[in-house]
Every structure is written in structure tokens, then in C-alpha cells.
Amino acid sequence: MAGSGDPGGRTRARLAALLVDASTGALSAAGGRVAGVYLRSRTPRLLRLAVLAGLPGPLFRPWWRLHVGRPFPVADAYRLGVQVVLPNATETVRRYPQFAAGLPFPFGSMHVPVPGGLEPLGVLTVLRPATSDTVDELLDPELLARLAEGLGAELLGLADGDETTVAWDGEPLCVRPPAVGPAEARVGRFTWDPATSAVRADDRLHALLGLRPGEFAGTAPALADALSPAEAHRIVAVLRETADGKPPASPLRLRSGDGAPLLLDVCPGAAGDETAPVSGVVLDPGPAASADGAADLLPQGVFCLDRLGLIVYVNEAAARMAGVERSRLLGRPLWEAMPWLTGPPYDDHLRGVLLSHEPAHVHVRRPHAEGAGPGEGDWLALSVHPGADILTCTLVPAGRMDAPGEAAPDGPAVAALHLPEGAGAGEPPLTPLYRPIALAIALTDAVTARQVSAVVTQELLPAFGGRRLAIYLLQERHLYLAWETGFPQDFLSPFEGVGLHARLPGVETLTSGRPLFFESMRQLAATYPGIPLDAEEGARAFLPLIASGRPVGSCILGFDRSRGFSTEERTVLTALAGLIAHAMERAQRYDSEAALARGLQQALLPRRLSAHPGVETAGRYLPGTQGLDVGGDWYDVVEAGDGLALVIGDVQGHGVQAAATMGQLRSAVRAFALGDRPPDEVLSGTNRLLIDLDPGQFASCCYLRLDPATGRALVARAGHPPPLLRCPDGHTRVLEIPGGVVLGVDLRAQYPVTELLLEPDAILALYTDGLVERPGADIDEGITALAQALAKAGAVAGRRGGRSLAGVADRLTAGARDAADRPDDVALLLATRRRAPVR
């Protein structure tokens, strides 16, 4: 906890409190089961989950980090600045199939941007029960919107002008939601040192006993008196007996000073060491104490989890089946207490119960436990039953259940999930069935080879527990590294460009068309003597990438530990390799076509701008990131008599056709400009040409003829966004110039001309709509934001001594240049008059 001299710590604590309040408030406002807040991180375009309420953090780990360009509802809410409402699983699958594949349960969700300055600060998200209709009459979206707006205002106030203050780069805070039913059981832990009688209690025990800092003396008598004044002597005696190696056979049932029931369970330290600390657990079972007492007598194992995955109750039978003492289970997260019940696919079942409130039934395999009773073999039948605040789990030896897949007389069918052959004790199966589906869906959105490789890293490695990945692509009978992660630096360098004659597993898997699996590094070294190894331990899978019968490359998947590969796993990995191969083949075609298209684009854009001693100009062009990265935006500066013509235009659509039409229009405008025709005639003539060409496209354009000596400018525009003007004093305004319709629509269209004065050191900005348009927002807001950025960029350049127009252009396009997702091209043309030198 931060002290009074730690303002950064206080800010962090205040930030956490605001986020927790917003998350728990969203649960109530939307009737949700899970809520959280994503915030911007200090990594560009990366959102991080800052707070999660109602779901254990480990169960949501795949979604702790989200890139704003991914096809997920949180990313869209942030990027577009609009609410995303998904009432049920059907709508989720239709709009966000990759998100639905990762959480294939019947639930709905809402995702609301948290407003900030020029872009949202984050996203408030709620997962809630599914509804049958697209509109939920019981839900008021405006309520969540107001909650998000209030959070945004609080965060901006906390930032005090520095929005980096509210960035989040750590793991999420996981908090309990407000209780729906009766108060749930609470658990606290302590240790007692027999030599000094010192007691160390955790924060939960302080809270359970109502002890404020400074009120607890930290001794065994003080602990006993705080637990139960009437039985303090008995408690101290039990602690001493436990230290002597004689712990009680069952937890002590106590009554606190106010009569509330408590359970005390203690266990000794190291065997034979009477000075080793004694550990203890205190459980406040709440109103369910009588039920818990009954569960203690049941032959089947029963344990309970709160919504953060903490074990709040466990009976003797469950502890015996787990092979762990009750005191070592109570108060611990499931992931620490019973790790063999976690990981895929068990995490998927727990997620399903928590999100959909449908029970789950599954066969599980536990490590061999000493003391297991007759018939209690390695296989157990686990059932998880939902509750408002508590999950109730039962364990029964599998031998006492019906055969997997058959319905029990009083319950639903139990699905069997088998461990892979050769898997270590307690090691979970590789991947749930939805992982191949998720990978296939994600690959459909990947266009370039780099994007395909990134998707494989995001989807394949986490699903299979791999730590290393390398993808090689075949070019002219040699393999070249396209992507790698997890390998030691420079380890793969010697393998770059190896020919198909080399005896290497990455080569032979491709030439033979067969996947190669090595359960240990020793097995790999024995099969390929002398091959360099990147680790002493681990397993490796070498997969051929073959699409439509043609070799594409090879994929290497590395595990940190030795492990076996079952027939099912090999089949799944081989199938996934086929998906990757087809995606890579498609990406290679795209890269080739894109290279040709970019060459055409560069040939059509001006290599240099016409210069004039009295005028400085700077232009920038950024292609869109969809399609072939080629569009119809252009800019130009042309000598027009004794002046200069400044031109910017935008042909509708993208692709080679748009670029070709742009080239024709640019040539026409240049021809008219070189003849020093008035702006209205230039646009009228270009309009007639476009209609005669009939390419099925239209275009916008802004044409300005500038006299460098006087600063007099004549402007005409055809459906194009208005220019911006930054005056020498820093004042920036939108030039509301009357215009005509876009080119290519009306043969008789008129284009009025407006006269303006460009003072020395003033900056004129012409731009295309790709720089100012944001989906879901009015274009006027984007133009206003660009005007503000122009005012600020010009001021920064001026302060640095001598305004650099190129630097201003770079600052105005920085956001678009860094964006991973540009749906439209961006073009910008800046011009300024130089002051005449003083003689």
C-alpha cells in the first residue's frame, strides 16, 4: 500500500478503485455475471484487461490482451467508438465467429467504449445471460453508456492532462461480484510458530475476524480469543498438540464471540520437527453451515468454489480423492490446490458453468493418491453445478458411474474426455475441439504471410502449450525463415536458405509429406546425429505445409518438456498444418499481387513535386490496409503559368481499377493546369472526361491555383472535404468553400470559384477523407480534430526554429501510419509561402 509520500501509488490505488466500482456497477446495471474494464496500454494499439469481476482470472487469460485490430467486440467498441451489443450466441457467432469459437457457450455480452480525449480510454464489457431476441427489453443500454461516461470523466480527472496515467500494463485485478444470495463462505489462513508463539495471519483472516490493523497482538492466545473467547484454552491446546504431531481428526467447530459458527482446521509442520510452524485455516461457512455438516458425512466428494475459483468448502471424501489434506485445500485457488483439474478442457467446462449456468459433467484423471479407498482409481467423475455465488462440485470414482456417454438415472449424460497416450500424470489433453475451429476462422482474416504467422502464434501456441514456433517457406527449392518465436537468438540462422537435399527434420517433413514427432530431444538427436539442439529437454513436432498437393514450407512446434503424442493429437496437428499451408499459399499470392499493385501505384504518383522559390510543399500518401493496399487517392503540385496548382483527389473504391482511373484523372488535371486554365474549367473538363471514360466510378477533387508573389489563391472543389488554414498567429480554421458535386456524375455540373489570401508562414492543408473519417463518427468531428492537430503541429515546428513542413506532415499522419487497420487510403498535401528575405 502506498504511503503518504507516494503520489504515484495513491494514483494507482485510486485508479484501481474506480475500475472496480465501474465493473461491479456494470454487473448490476446489465444483470451480468461477469464484467471488466479494458484500458489502453503503453504498447501502441494494445488493450489490456485491468479489472475482472465474477470470473477467475486464469479462466480468462486468453483475453487479457487484445490488439485493437482483431475481430473482437471489445476491439471494435474501442476502435469504432460505438456500443457493441450481442444478445445471444447466435448473434455472437454471426458477427464475431472467432470470439464465439473461443467461448462456445450460450451467453450475451455488451461492450461500451469509455470516452476519453481524441479516442476512448478503454472499454467496459459485461457478459450476461443470453436473450432470445436481438433487443432485450429489460436492458437499458443508456445506463451502461452513462456508467462508461462517468468512468471516463473520473479517469480524465485522475490523469490531470496526462492520459498515460490511466494506462494499464500489468495483470488484471480479479474481484468478487456483489453477492446475489446469502453471504458466501469466507476463508482466512494463518501460521503459528511454536517456538515464539508468533502468529502470522493473512488479510482475509483479519477481515473475517473484524480485526483492524494494530488490534491483533499476533500471538496464539490473541488468535484464540479472537476466534472464540469461550473456547480459547481449547484452541491453544489444539495448536500445541498439533505441533507435537497430534493434529485433530476433523476440523474444530467453534462459535465466535457473537455466536456465529466457525471451522478451524490445523495441520503440523515438517514431520519430526516440533519447532516447525503450524498452519491453519479458519472458515466462516455462513448460513450453509448445517448443509456443510451434512456434506461431511457423504461418501461422495463435495467441494465448493467461489466465483474467483477459491475453494471455500471441501469434505473429507473430496480431500481423500484429491490426495491432499483438507487444510491444504481450503482457502486456496483451484489452480494451486488441484492442478490436475485445470487447463484445457477443464477450464472450458468451468467457463461454461460460470457464463451459462448450465451444469457440466466430465471424467477426469488425477495423480495417484496414497490412501485412496477401494475402487477409487485414477479416473473420477466430476460434476460442476452452478449457483448464484458458489459452484458446487462433486467427485465420484468413475467405477461407480455409468459408462461414459450413457445417461445416469437421475441426471444428464456424462461425457468422457481421455488423456493422450504417453501424457504425464495430471497432464491435460492438448486442445479442446474448438481450437482448430478458432484457428481456421482466424486464418480467414489473415492476408499477408506475416499476418498468417502472427495468427498461428496467437492461436496455436497457447492451445497446445508450445513455447517455440518456426515457419519456413519454400522458394526455389530452398527453405527461408518466415516467422519464429521462442528460439534462442541466432539459433535458426544456420538453417536459413537450406536446400531440399539437406538431412534435417524440417526439410524431410516437407519432401516426404509426413509429419515427424519427437517425444524428447534425446530421440531427435538419435535420429539426426550431430543436429544442433536449442535445448536439453523438450519435445518437437515438424509439420509439412502442403496446399493442393504443392509444397509450401514446414512448421516447427516446440515444447519445453518431453511428452508423447497420441494418434488423435498427431491427426489434429497435421490437419492444422494443412490449414496453415493453404493460408500461406493464399498469402504468397497476395504478396505477389500486392507488390505489382504497389509498383503501379508508385508509377502513378508524382516522383517529385514542382518547386517554386516562394512556396514550400510537402505531400504524404498512405495506402489502406485492406484489399491490395492500392486506392485512388492522389495529390500533385503543377506549374500553372507564373503560379502553382495544388491538387488533391480521391477516386471511389480500391484496387487496380481505382488506381488506373486515378492515373487518368491526374494526367487530365495536369494537362489543364499546365495550360493555366481557371479552377472551375479544370474541374469541369475533368468531369466531362471521367463521364466519357465511363469507368463506373466517381471522384472528388480540390483544385487551388496559387500566386506565390501575392498569396492570392483561387479554389474550386468537387465533393471534396474543405481545406484547412493555419494562420501565422496559430489560429486554425476550416475554409468553408462552396463546391459542386463529385466528378463523373453530372455532365452539366458547375464548380464555383472562391478567392482567398495565403499569408506568409500560413499553412494550407488539403487532405482526403481517409485522414478524418472514423466509422461510427461524424466526419466533421474528424475535420475538427485534424484542425486542432494542425494548430499544435505547426506550433511545435515553429518553436523548434524554422517551420519544417515535412515534419508537420509526418505529425499529422503519424496516427494513420501507426494504425494496423486503415480501411481507406490517406493523402495529405501541405503548402506554405516563404517570407521574402530582408535586405
Side-chain angles (χ1 to χ4, degrees), residues 425-663:
E427 181 176 307
L430 277 186
T431 179
L433 291 179
Y434 73 79
R435 282 299 184 182
I437 302 173
L439 179 63
I441 295 172
L443 285 174
T444 62
D445 294 325
V447 178
T448 67
R450 185 175 183 83
Q451 289 173 342
V452 171
S453 301
V455 167
V456 174
T457 300
Q458 294 166 358
E459 298 293 339
L460 191 68
L461 285 185
F464 287 85
R467 293 292 183 269
R468 292 172 169 84
L469 175 73
I471 296 178
Y472 283 86
L473 296 181
L474 182 64
Q475 296 179 18
E476 298 179 355
R477 297 186 60 79
H478 288 78
L479 288 174
Y480 295 91
L481 184 66
W483 183 274
E484 67 90 11
T485 183
F487 285 91
Q489 186 176 3
D490 298 328
F491 172 77
L492 297 176
S493 298
F495 304 103
E496 180 71 3
V498 297
L500 296 185
H501 62 279
R503 189 173 185 273
L504 294 169
V507 173
E508 293 190 359
T509 188
L510 181 62
T511 55
S512 67
R514 294 182 296 103
L516 302 175
F517 298 93
F518 299 94
E519 300 181 358
S520 67
M521 301 303 284
R522 182 182 304 174
Q523 184 183 17
L524 175 60
T527 308
Y528 293 89
I531 187 174
L533 301 178
D534 57 297
E536 295 182 0
E537 297 293 333
R540 295 291 180 268
F542 296 83
L543 310 173
L545 302 182
I546 299 175
S548 304
R550 293 188 297 273
V552 175
S554 58
C555 174
I556 305 171
L557 185 61
F559 301 86
D560 284 347
R561 294 185 302 156
S562 299
R563 57 153 302 127
F565 296 92
S566 70
T567 302
E568 182 181 2
E569 292 167 6
R570 296 177 186 226
T571 301
V572 170
L573 283 170
T574 304
L576 291 177
L579 293 176
I580 298 169
H582 281 283
M584 278 295 184
E585 183 186 45
R586 186 178 66 247
Q588 287 180 312
R589 287 199 305 267
Y590 170 88
D591 288 340
S592 299
E593 294 172 5
L596 291 174
R598 281 192 294 269
L600 171 63
Q601 180 79 13
Q602 293 300 318
L604 294 176
L605 287 173
R607 292 179 178 270
R608 62 178 181 85
L609 301 177
S610 296
H612 190 283
V615 179
E616 180 184 358
T617 58
R620 296 291 182 270
Y621 172 79
L622 300 173
T625 56
Q626 299 177 2
L628 288 179
D629 292 350
V630 174
D633 290 19
W634 91 94
Y635 61 85
D636 209 347
V637 178
V638 188
E639 295 181 8
D642 57 357
L644 284 179
L646 309 176
V647 189
I648 196 162
D650 181 3
V651 177
Q652 169 219 9
H654 299 85
V656 176
Q657 180 61 47
T661 301
M662 176 271 284

Side-chain angles (χ1 to χ4, degrees), residues 706-707 710-713 725 733 755-760 762 833:
L706 173 65
D707 183 345
T710 64
R712 178 174 177 264
L725 181 65
R733 70 180 192 274
E755 181 176 340
L756 59 91
L757 180 65
L758 184 63
E759 302 177 74
R833 287 177 62 216

